[in-house]
Amino acid sequence: MIKNKKFLYIVLLSISLIFLIILFLRPGKDKNQKDFESILTEGKTFESRELPTLPEDYGDHKLMEYSVEEIARILQEKYGKNIENPAAQIAMIEELMKDLPKLYPNDWVKVLNQILGYAFPDKVLELMRMSENLYNYNKFRESNMSKVGLMSDEARRQMVWKERYRLFGEKADQIWAMEKKMTAIGDTLKRIKESPAGNLDAKLSNYSQTLREQFGKEYPRIMENKRQQLTEGFMVSVQKDLKVLSYGERKSALREIRSAMGMDSAALGRWDALEEEREKAWQNQQKYSDKRTQLSSKKGGMTPEDEKQLDSLRKQYFGEEAEIIKNEEASGYFRAQDERTYGVN
Amino acid sequence: MNFKKRNLVCLIALLVVSTGLHAGARKTVYPVVFAHGLSGFDNLLGYYYFGNDYGTFVGDPCDEFLETACNGSIHSGQKALAASVTPFQSSEVRGTQLADRIQNYMTSTGATKVNIVGHSQGGIDARKAAAVLRARYGRQVVHVMISVSSPHRGSPTAKYILDLGPGVTSVIDALAKLFGNTIYGSGNDGVAAAKQLVYNDYSSTDGVTTGMKAFNNNYNVSADTANYWASIITAQDSLNTNPALFLLKEGFYNIDGDGYCLDDCDNDGAAGKGDGTRGNGDDDGLVGINSQQMGYRLQYNECAICFDTITVNSTLGYVSNLNAPTSAQMTSKSSVVSQDHLDVVGVPPDTFDEEEFYASILEFIVTKGG
């Protein structure tokens, strides 16, 4: 009985001790988090006030060059029309968060509150809540960095989105809109890559449709900036289809893909020339590789004469790139062993 | 803001106006290619490599004033490419791939030249790419070449990992912990990547010659391959270094990277040696300062109340032979950016403004005709 009681006390004491240790070792809130909380608890609102006139050349200077009131006025101009959009709110808060801690290391959260209050008095609490969430999200990213890096894409996505929704609710979809678009495009490419060979036209049409759906009215501008990247992504995904085609069929298929991705006739002409050049280069790689194998597989290894012959073969097949090919071979890299990715290399 | 500070701000504002500077970078003459380091081009530890956490690439210009998923500090007409190569491979392989990607971009856009900004191994790949492009086009194709945090003379961390130093049980796992799980994808060769980043030939018995010394001899700074060569150097005290750089975090290994000697006299994997003091801001967690200068050393002038700028540190001179920098070029902490290896590509935690940092690099490129 006594023994049992003793044992019970030891167990209870141990549990209490563990609880206390956990309590003390738990990561506490830092000063900034406490500042956010106290501001939000206080729930201080701001009244509309007359702000200074907008400096004419404010767009030519950095935000932090101005007084708190002037910054507030500039924010109204820059973000006012879009202030309902969570992505615009985040962009604005980030702009402030980049420099405020450097200028006001001890009370930047309060200065942030002041600026937001002057700029958008009727939204100050919403914006401060958004700021607090962004701060906490950044802390989450920091503390989970190595863990997140070692996860699969799918697991990483799940974990990160779970935290985003926890902090920002449905607004997360708008804040990370561009990431969502690029992920959707990536998923389409993955599906195309995993599908059986054949029906290249349908795949191209599916991909083009995805791009238009995702980018909406921004489609022309984004294509202008990312055309090559998005075209190459598709090329990589349809290698199965391209590999089974004859050279002539493949050349016209590649041309069709590039045309569908919006390349003009001058670009298509340049590509035709490059494709021919690359076809020849791959054939030369193979011819050279066969001859190199013959020379290097001789009994007793290569003689100085063989090395000379190899030099002249490289010159013959690769012209100006001969010396580079020689460097590559010395390091153990042989281009002929590379996998050919049609339309890319 | 107090009266004195306000006056100072006004004075700076006046100076900024009088020198004709403006918000953000001007458009470069030639497109800018961003070359990534180890790991995937859009995924370093789960983050966009040259970008932010919202899916925005630092080279994405804003067309509209109210746009948010873009870099507002660059010109709205800026042309840029985030090139993608195999995440873990030697620079002989990755440099050839980078040349292919640049050639593709030039063919699609009609660009006649490009500028390259390479981070970490990307700055090494870029040298090979420039040589390949020179051979293919029969002329110089790269105008301005800038490396950021690149281990041109090797990284002791690479050798430590290959040697399976304390805390490392597997080369591949160690690289995965440092850079993310893309190493497990097909086509990657973590050992080749690590051997590339050791100064000397790592193994005399494997029948091949690897390492930065040989690579530098083959692809050195040259007016044939690029018009202007420069580098940005990063280093930070260990305490501030990114937790992802676990070798430091766990206290296994700390680079001593600010001493001078010819070649790798202390056999730590990088040219030069230590000065006997570790943790004194002589490395960025992966690369020592004695490994990073290529061409001119650039100074990044970060400023909370004015626009960030890049200038040339003219006192340290020009590294024209990557295997033979001067003592000052290997040991001076002048113009070293106080950030760790991963801060400059958007991996948190940092208070570093990547968008403006790269915008200031673009503006600098403009000043060099690029």
Side-chain angles (χ1 to χ4, degrees):
Chain A
M1 187 73 180
I2 288 174
K3 263 190 181 178
N4 281 347
K5 263 193 178 178
K6 248 190 181 178
F7 179 73
L8 188 70
Y9 289 144
I10 288 166
V11 168
L12 285 171
L13 200 69
S14 302
I15 290 169
S16 307
L17 210 62
I18 290 165
F19 176 77
L20 285 170
I21 288 168
I22 290 169
L23 199 72
F24 282 111
L25 290 182
R26 210 172 37 143
K29 287 176 179 165
D30 64 26
K31 184 188 176 296
N32 297 323
Q33 284 170 311
K34 287 173 185 167
D35 284 352
F36 273 118
E37 273 183 16
S38 72
I39 285 169
L40 285 161
T41 307
E42 191 186 339
K44 185 188 169 190
T45 53
F46 287 76
E47 284 182 20
S48 290
R49 55 184 290 171
E50 192 71 32
L51 291 174
T53 315
L54 201 65
E56 259 182 50
D57 59 347
Y58 78 92
D60 291 342
H61 299 287
K62 211 170 180 178
L63 213 53
M64 295 299 140
E65 290 177 48
Y66 298 101
S67 69
V68 166
E69 289 86 352
E70 283 171 325
I71 291 171
R73 179 68 194 94
I74 292 167
L75 293 182
Q76 285 179 344
E77 188 63 25
K78 275 183 87 170
Y79 298 99
K81 290 177 195 166
N82 249 7
I83 198 64
E84 297 302 326
N85 181 340
Q89 292 176 0
I90 286 284
M92 177 179 75
I93 291 162
E94 275 215 319
E95 187 171 2
L96 293 168
M97 276 190 181
K98 273 170 190 170
D99 288 328
L100 283 178
K102 293 172 198 164
L103 284 174
Y104 308 96
N106 298 318
D107 58 353
W108 66 267
V109 177
K110 286 169 185 155
V111 177
L112 173 73
N113 178 242
Q114 203 177 18
I115 292 170
L116 294 175
Y118 290 161
F120 303 104
D122 54 339
K123 292 189 84 66
V124 63
L125 290 177
E126 181 191 336
L127 293 171
M128 278 308 285
R129 216 165 283 120
M130 181 68 92
S131 307
E132 181 191 31
N133 290 337
L134 180 61
Y135 184 80
N136 287 332
Y137 177 70
N138 287 336
K139 281 189 76 75
F140 154 82
R141 293 196 310 163
E142 184 182 324
S143 53
N144 287 286
M145 186 180 312
S146 300
K147 185 178 165 185
V148 162
L150 291 169
M151 286 175 161
S152 69
D153 283 352
E154 193 50 47
R156 180 190 306 127
R157 241 191 257 180
Q158 270 182 14
M159 179 184 170
V160 166
W161 275 100
K162 190 179 169 188
E163 185 66 7
R164 288 172 183 175
Y165 284 131
R166 188 185 74 79
L167 289 167
F168 299 95
E170 288 178 6
K171 288 176 180 176
D173 290 328
Q174 287 168 276
I175 296 167
W176 282 275
M178 180 52 87
E179 185 191 310
K180 282 192 85 166
K181 287 171 185 178
M182 295 311 280
T183 303
I185 291 161
D187 289 346
T188 299
L189 287 175
K190 200 176 166 189
R191 277 195 300 276
I192 290 170
K193 195 175 184 176
E194 286 165 358
S195 66
N199 224 345
L200 187 55
D201 288 347
K203 288 173 184 174
L204 181 57
S205 161
N206 175 14
Y207 183 56
S208 298
Q209 194 187 330
T210 302
L211 292 177
R212 286 176 197 280
E213 277 170 10
Q214 292 302 324
F215 297 140
K217 63 179 172 58
E218 290 182 325
Y219 175 82
R221 187 184 64 79
I222 291 177
M223 286 305 289
E224 189 59 35
N225 290 328
K226 296 187 187 288
R227 193 182 320 280
Q228 183 53 38
Q229 190 184 325
L230 293 166
T231 305
E232 233 160 70
F234 184 74
M235 297 288 192
V236 170
S237 300
V238 293
Q239 286 301 299
K240 264 188 266 181
D241 298 81
L242 294 170
K243 274 173 183 163
V244 296
L245 301 175
S246 69
Y247 171 68
E249 289 169 331
R250 192 163 45 241
K251 200 175 162 185
S252 63
L254 289 171
R255 191 182 171 95
E256 202 178 313
I257 291 166
R258 291 181 179 121
S259 174
M261 295 297 287
M263 290 191 198
D264 61 21
S265 59
L268 295 174
R270 286 192 297 268
W271 266 112
D272 285 344
L274 182 59
E275 289 294 353
E276 274 180 41
E277 203 180 294
R278 282 186 174 166
E279 184 67 21
K280 194 178 166 195
W282 277 97
Q283 286 171 5
N284 284 345
Q285 283 285 4
Q286 203 47 60
K287 286 176 193 167
Y288 166 77
S289 181
D290 293 344
K291 288 183 177 170
R292 191 184 194 285
T293 306
Q294 278 172 21
L295 287 171
S296 59
S297 56
K298 274 183 177 176
K299 218 175 178 178
M302 281 202 283
T303 63
E305 283 73 29
D306 292 336
E307 293 284 4
K308 271 186 186 172
Q309 198 185 336
L310 209 53
D311 280 340
S312 68
L313 280 171
R314 277 191 288 259
K315 196 80 194 147
Q316 176 194 332
Y317 286 119
F318 307 117
E320 291 296 309
E321 273 190 82
E323 200 58 35
I324 292 171
I325 301 281
K326 191 177 183 177
N327 296 339
E328 290 173 2
E329 289 174 2
S331 79
Y333 169 43
F334 297 88
R335 284 192 203 182
Q337 291 169 9
D338 274 351
E339 190 178 347
R340 184 165 184 190
T341 309
Y342 290 106
V344 176
N345 68 2
Chain B
M1 200 179 285
N2 64 35
F3 190 70
K4 266 188 179 177
K5 193 171 178 184
R6 184 63 204 270
N7 279 348
L8 178 71
V9 164
C10 287
L11 182 68
I12 289 167
L14 189 70
L15 280 171
V16 167
V17 173
S18 64
T19 52
L21 292 175
H22 52 93
R26 287 172 289 170
K27 183 185 174 185
T28 58
V29 178
Y30 309 111
V32 179
V33 175
F34 288 82
H36 65 83
L38 286 170
S39 184
F41 98 105
D42 65 345
N43 187 345
L44 174 69
L45 290 166
Y47 299 95
Y48 284 91
Y49 201 100
F50 283 109
N52 64 18
D53 189 46
Y54 309 100
T56 302
F57 162 49
V58 292
D60 278 339
C62 299
D63 271 12
E64 294 169 33
F65 192 49
L66 294 168
E67 225 181 318
T68 52
C70 54
N71 185 353
S73 297
I74 64 174
H75 190 277
S76 61
Q78 180 62 47
K79 300 292 176 213
L81 169 74
S84 162
V85 298
T86 301
F88 294 86
Q89 258 296 357
S90 76
S91 283
E92 286 287 7
V93 175
R94 286 170 39 121
T96 303
Q97 290 177 348
L98 181 60
D100 287 338
R101 303 301 182 273
I102 292 171
Q103 197 171 13
N104 294 351
Y105 183 75
M106 289 169 71
T107 304
S108 290
T109 60
T112 53
K113 287 183 92 175
V114 294
N115 304 295
I116 306 180
V117 176
H119 173 251
S120 190
Q121 194 184 353
I124 295 163
D125 304 337
R127 290 195 267 128
K128 163 83 190 273
V132 172
L133 291 165
R134 172 79 180 76
R136 288 182 186 174
Y137 285 81
R139 61 176 175 81
Q140 183 196 78
V141 171
V142 179
H143 195 80
V144 174
M145 166 89 76
I146 294 177
S147 69
V148 180
S149 317
S150 293
H152 294 292
R153 286 173 286 281
S155 162
T157 309
K159 186 170 186 292
Y160 184 89
I161 289 171
L162 285 165
D163 290 347
L164 299 183
V168 180
T169 52
S170 151
V171 171
I172 305 304
D173 286 353
L175 289 169
K177 279 179 187 160
L178 280 168
F179 298 106
N181 63 2
T182 49
I183 195 164
Y184 301 114
S186 65
N188 290 292
D189 186 340
V191 172
K195 282 181 177 178
Q196 175 67 66
L197 303 177
V198 174
Y199 184 72
N200 288 321
D201 181 15
Y202 184 75
S203 167
S204 56
T205 57
D206 61 3
V208 294
T209 306
T210 60
M212 289 314 305
K213 187 179 182 181
F215 190 89
N216 292 343
N217 283 331
N218 295 333
Y219 312 107
N220 218 322
V221 171
S222 162
D224 272 352
T225 54
N227 185 61
Y228 187 88
W229 298 73
S231 48
I232 292 173
I233 294 165
T234 51
Q236 198 168 50
D237 288 337
S238 308
L239 286 175
N240 295 317
T241 304
N242 198 301
L245 303 174
F246 80 106
L247 289 170
L248 274 175
K249 187 188 159 203
E250 303 297 335
F252 290 126
Y253 188 61
N254 191 350
I255 294 166
D256 185 0
D258 56 350
Y260 171 76
C261 68
L262 196 64
D263 294 335
D264 185 4
C265 60
D266 61 353
N267 196 33
D268 70 345
K273 58 181 180 181
D275 65 351
T277 309
R278 299 175 188 271
N280 58 337
D282 58 8
D283 67 87
D284 66 4
L286 289 177
V287 191
I289 62 171
N290 52 13
S291 185
Q292 296 183 47
Q293 187 171 341
M294 169 189 83
Y296 290 108
R297 184 181 296 201
L298 300 182
Q299 160 112 17
Y300 176 48
N301 310 296
E302 198 178 0
C303 180
I305 55 167
C306 57
F307 271 97
D308 302 351
T309 56
I310 300 259
T311 48
V312 179
N313 180 327
S314 49
T315 56
L316 283 170
Y318 188 78
V319 175
S320 57
N321 179 353
L322 286 160
N323 287 336
T326 65
S327 172
Q329 288 163 347
M330 285 182 105
T331 60
S332 171
K333 289 180 184 165
S334 170
S335 303
V336 168
V337 178
S338 181
Q339 296 291 335
D340 72 38
H341 195 79
L342 300 179
D343 282 342
V344 290
V345 286
V347 177
D350 63 40
T351 54
F352 193 63
D353 188 343
E354 290 82 13
E355 285 160 334
E356 195 159 330
F357 174 65
Y358 288 102
S360 65
I361 291 177
L362 264 52
E363 173 61 24
F364 179 78
I365 287 171
V366 172
T367 67
K368 298 299 163 195

